[in-house]
Amino acid sequence: MKKHKNRFKQYEEISDEFSSEWRKLDLLVPSNLKMLCRLLDLKLETLLKDFMWRLSYMVASGTDEQCQAARDYFLSCGYGKNFYSEKQLQQIFRELDAKKQFWPDVDDEVITPVQEELHYLWSHMHMEYWLEKWKGRKGKFEL
């Protein structure tokens, strides 16, 4: 019997570059933000986590309006403008949003373990492609 080669094996273990991870950060938290969080009974960690997940268009990261507001704030600060044009930055965020749209909706269908594994592999392959695509375009735009 011939063994089938797993051509997706390289994507089974996602590299640190593509994985979500817990990180310890030392941050100087402005006193006004600390007081605002205290008044609103909001943990600073919750505020930062919500912003990061909405900005990255992760699945179940909030409403479309919240994700767009995070993106608009990020762009209004000028992040990335020295590497990408405004049009390219908008495309980067549209592609992140599009990936989120491909996440299986467990309320609409039953997902088998095989389907879940295939989606997991596709997601990692796609994000590797996406990152390499945009890294290759870094700094290549007309002003």
Side-chain angles (χ1 to χ4, degrees):
M1 179 178 220
K2 186 177 180 181
K3 283 190 174 182
H4 292 285
K5 193 175 189 180
N6 183 354
R7 60 187 171 144
F8 303 113
K9 189 159 185 66
Q10 69 187 37
Y11 301 105
E12 289 176 357
E13 290 298 323
I14 190 165
S15 70
D16 289 341
E17 189 173 22
F18 307 108
S19 66
S20 297
E21 63 181 15
W22 287 99
R23 297 184 71 177
K24 289 189 179 236
L25 299 174
D26 289 326
L27 295 173
L28 176 63
V29 179
S31 59
N32 288 357
L33 182 59
K34 286 173 51 179
M35 289 185 281
L36 182 61
C37 286
R38 180 134 188 207
L39 284 172
L40 302 175
D41 195 25
L42 174 66
K43 288 185 175 184
L44 179 63
E45 293 84 358
T46 302
L47 175 71
L48 296 174
K49 179 184 69 76
D50 286 349
F51 177 73
M52 290 186 297
W53 283 74
R54 288 177 179 137
L55 178 64
S56 63
Y57 284 85
M58 292 300 286
V59 175
S61 60
T63 66
D64 290 340
E65 292 80 16
Q66 291 168 333
C67 292
Q68 183 174 345
R71 182 200 67 214
D72 290 346
Y73 171 78
F74 184 88
L75 294 173
S76 73
C77 289
Y79 300 126
K81 288 187 178 178
N82 53 334
F83 297 115
Y84 299 100
S85 69
E86 180 74 25
K87 185 177 177 181
Q88 288 174 320
L89 289 168
Q90 293 290 347
Q91 183 65 28
I92 286 170
F93 280 106
R94 277 194 301 274
E95 290 176 12
L96 283 176
D97 187 35
K99 181 186 177 275
K100 181 174 117 176
Q101 302 303 321
F102 283 109
W103 190 259
D105 187 350
V106 293
D107 294 333
D108 291 341
E109 60 184 271
V110 175
I111 299 172
T112 67
V114 171
Q115 290 170 321
E116 187 175 20
E117 178 68 13
L118 287 173
H119 187 273
Y120 176 80
L121 293 173
W122 169 83
S123 179
H124 292 134
M125 289 187 303
H126 177 73
M127 290 314 294
E128 283 189 31
Y129 161 78
W130 177 83
L131 181 63
E132 291 303 316
K133 169 185 151 181
W134 286 106
K135 278 173 48 179
R137 294 181 184 181
K138 193 173 184 179
K140 296 178 182 175
F141 65 92
E142 298 291 324
L143 291 176

